[in-house]
Amino acid sequence: MKTIAYYPGCTLKNTAKNFEDSALCALDRLGYEAKELARWNCCGTVFSLATDDLMHHVAPIRNLVRAKEAGSDTILTLCAMCYNTLKRANERVKNDAESLEKINNFMDTETVKYAGDVRVLHLLEILRDELTFPVLAGKVVKKPNGLKVANYYGCLLVRPKSVGLDDQENPIVLEDLMTALGIESVEFPYKTECCGAYQTVDEPKAVADRTYRILSSARRQGADLVTVSCPLCAFNLDQRQKQAALLFADFEPLPVVYFTQLLALGLGCPEDRMRFDLHYVDPRPVLKKKGVL
Amino acid sequence: MRTDISRKKIRNAFVEKVEELSGQNLLACYQCGKCSAGCPQADRMDLLPNQVIRLAQLGEQEDLFNCRTIWVCASCMTCNVRCPKGIKIAEVMEAIRQIMLRKRKDHILIEKLSAEERESVPPIALISSFRKSTS
Ligand code: SF4
Ligand code: SF4
């Protein structure tokens, strides 16, 4: 077993429990123990874009201090927004000694001083770069029968370039992962088109419109499912289908799953770790039809 | 739309503030329109992203303070990737939002959200919404 310090973030303990449980089970099957930080705080979800706004980088950097306290030089993330915020704040202080010093001064009650020396990793990077997909393919015990997926990356896994884990507009890491799992990926022109993100709070209809367009494209391409890696994208693409159905007469529902749920099923994790009860559109019928469940 | 251009406005304090907060050189923009062409939120905007940059170059702060666009922009960074001049348009949007928010002109009034609205969305949605639209 290889141990890695793990930062879950708020939503993985809440509406995205299906993301966390499936990922932890899959990691366990792959020989990784994801050790949750003993203490952690919300990263703030979005990286502050204003040049002088150092205050909002304290929250992400504090989590990196927690990783150091746990004796770890890397931190594993699952949520695309946490990944982006932690990694971008880290890049900022690594490249700017003055900001780093100021942030350390803000955190003067911490016993550990941060020096930009923790690596922020996403699960997809561990699978692709450390474990590698050919090795992963050898561990797959359950391959579906003709399952087709559209992989939705959204924005924050891939942009900006300084922190993105793949090409900014045509990433392929999820496609490569699906191939290793014996799953076919369809061409998907909307794979990095924003879902409307947090505007789901004050403009739910506008987000339902995005959901309609993104999912209609996936359906036209012949996908049985859409995969995601962000709890906010998941909420918008899955739960907002309720509003999309009211707004668009020709809308047809499409199940949305975390990539970790397909990974965990492929590795033989039990169905109860998938928490399918948290989904608005139930993915079980199509997964059963394709022989994954 | 009628716009009066003057040298004084082009380098006014607002323009300087936007450039400082965004870290961008506004005058590098040559109005190709590529940012607007690919913006997934453009159909809900009253000013297109390239128009925001143009008005910011000209120091037209009132138009920008009163527009919907800065709140409709979802910081997806697509425009940043595509701008041939390397301008980070999303950062310019954030700078204008910040100038408003620092005057406590919040776009979302948390107390006006109903309990149902608050409870129907996950924490990640609420936190990011409040981070972007409140001071
Ligand atoms: S893409 Fe860049 S240069 Fe072209 S209009 Fe937009 S900001 Fe200006
Ligand atoms: S960052 Fe904002 S302006 Fe730029 S493409 Fe995305 S929504 Fe449009």
Side-chain angles (χ1 to χ4, degrees):
Chain A
M1 271 295 190
K2 207 178 154 193
T3 307
I4 181 158
Y6 162 56
Y7 172 79
C10 312
T11 305
L12 271 80
K13 299 292 179 190
N14 194 296
T15 56
K17 203 71 189 114
N18 43 354
F19 192 6
E20 177 172 60
D21 284 4
S22 56
L24 294 181
C25 182
L27 277 164
D28 182 67
R29 299 277 157 128
L30 293 170
Y32 285 89
E33 190 202 350
K35 207 161 183 295
E36 185 175 327
L37 295 174
R39 243 181 90 196
W40 53 266
N41 55 267
C42 173
C43 66
T45 71
V46 287
F47 176 80
S48 208
L49 297 172
T51 49
D52 67 348
D53 189 7
L54 280 183
M55 205 50 179
H56 283 108
H57 302 318
V58 174
I61 297 299
R62 214 184 273 284
N63 288 307
L64 304 182
V65 169
R66 299 283 167 263
K68 286 199 73 174
E69 282 172 351
S72 184
D73 59 358
T74 45
I75 189 167
L76 167 70
T77 56
L78 300 173
C79 165
M81 287 180 89
C82 298
Y83 166 72
N84 189 285
T85 306
L86 293 177
K87 192 162 173 188
R88 242 185 132 173
N90 200 27
E91 293 302 308
R92 162 93 194 234
V93 299
K94 274 204 298 206
N95 297 319
D96 177 3
E98 202 186 315
S99 297
L100 177 63
E101 198 194 323
K102 280 191 185 147
I103 288 175
N104 270 318
N105 289 342
F106 285 147
M107 304 188 298
D108 59 356
T109 52
E110 299 289 352
T111 45
V112 174
K113 232 179 159 29
Y114 191 60
D117 47 351
V118 172
R119 257 178 89 210
V120 179
L121 281 180
H122 190 270
L123 173 59
L124 283 168
E125 293 176 294
I126 294 189
L127 299 177
R128 178 189 62 191
D129 307 330
E130 203 176 292
L131 186 74
T132 75
F133 290 139
V135 173
L136 171 68
K139 296 183 188 253
V140 174
V141 294
K142 208 167 191 181
K143 291 207 173 176
N145 211 339
L147 178 66
K148 285 189 187 175
V149 299
N151 300 303
Y152 181 75
Y153 294 79
C155 308
L156 296 176
L157 268 191
V158 291
R159 289 187 289 269
K161 199 175 181 167
S162 54
V163 300
L165 55 77
D166 203 345
D167 187 88
Q168 298 187 89
E169 296 212 71
N170 190 22
I172 51 161
V173 56
L174 283 169
E175 281 74 6
D176 289 345
L177 169 64
M178 292 303 144
T179 305
L181 297 172
I183 297 169
E184 189 186 327
S185 299
V186 300
E187 287 290 329
F188 188 29
Y190 278 81
K191 66 175 163 182
T192 59
E193 283 270 316
C194 182
C195 67
Y198 47 84
Q199 293 181 1
T200 205
V201 175
D202 60 324
E203 300 276 358
K205 277 194 183 152
V207 169
D209 178 79
R210 302 295 307 152
T211 299
Y212 168 71
R213 291 193 220 185
I214 293 165
L215 297 183
S216 301
S217 166
R219 188 172 274 288
R220 276 196 298 279
Q221 299 299 107
D224 302 306
L225 290 172
V226 171
T227 67
V228 291
S229 63
C230 168
L232 187 49
C233 300
F235 176 82
N236 287 344
L237 295 185
D238 183 28
Q239 307 283 337
R240 287 285 177 243
Q241 290 191 43
K242 202 191 230 169
Q243 281 86 349
L246 296 173
L247 290 169
F248 303 96
D250 63 341
F251 177 73
E252 287 179 61
L254 197 64
V256 175
V257 299
Y258 287 105
F259 73 92
T260 51
Q261 290 173 302
L262 296 180
L263 172 68
L265 287 171
L267 294 170
C269 289
E271 189 181 327
D272 62 348
R273 299 296 302 272
M274 306 306 140
R275 293 295 309 271
F276 288 125
D277 57 303
L278 292 170
H279 293 244
Y280 175 68
V281 178
D282 192 347
R284 280 171 289 198
V286 67
L287 291 174
K288 279 197 184 115
K289 200 169 119 200
K290 303 288 175 179
V292 204
L293 282 184
Chain B
M1 180 166 42
R2 186 191 152 100
T3 305
D4 294 317
I5 303 173
S6 73
R7 189 174 297 193
K8 230 161 90 198
K9 260 193 189 167
I10 291 179
R11 291 309 327 153
N12 71 11
F14 168 75
V15 181
E16 273 168 31
K17 194 78 199 159
V18 172
E19 290 203 331
E20 184 198 322
L21 290 180
S22 66
Q24 305 305 305
N25 172 12
L26 294 171
L27 290 174
C29 167
Y30 53 16
Q31 288 293 300
C32 68
K34 205 167 178 182
C35 48
S36 303
C39 172
Q41 301 284 71
D43 59 352
R44 291 173 49 227
M45 292 176 168
D46 49 0
L47 293 172
L48 291 170
N50 71 297
Q51 294 176 309
V52 167
I53 304 294
R54 187 70 180 135
L55 290 167
Q57 287 176 336
L58 300 176
E60 295 293 335
Q61 56 179 36
E62 289 315 313
D63 289 338
L64 294 170
F65 288 157
N66 294 317
C67 75
R68 266 172 60 79
T69 294
I70 54 169
W71 308 110
V72 168
C73 164
S75 299
C76 77
M77 319 272 164
T78 303
C79 50
N80 290 10
V81 175
R82 295 181 184 172
C83 173
K85 297 288 289 183
I87 300 165
K88 297 189 173 121
I89 301 98
E91 271 79 342
V92 175
M93 300 277 187
E94 177 106 335
I96 304 169
R97 278 193 298 268
Q98 281 295 317
I99 293 173
M100 296 289 281
L101 295 176
R102 290 175 191 189
K103 294 181 178 138
R104 304 199 74 81
K105 296 202 171 104
D106 288 6
H107 177 63
I108 289 187
L109 299 172
I110 298 178
E111 65 278 14
K112 292 249 165 83
L113 290 177
S114 67
E116 199 216 322
E117 278 172 310
R118 274 183 275 120
E119 279 154 26
S120 66
V121 294
I124 197 167
L126 286 177
I127 299 163
S128 45
S129 169
F130 297 165
R131 281 278 285 102
K132 286 285 179 180
S133 310
T134 68
S135 51

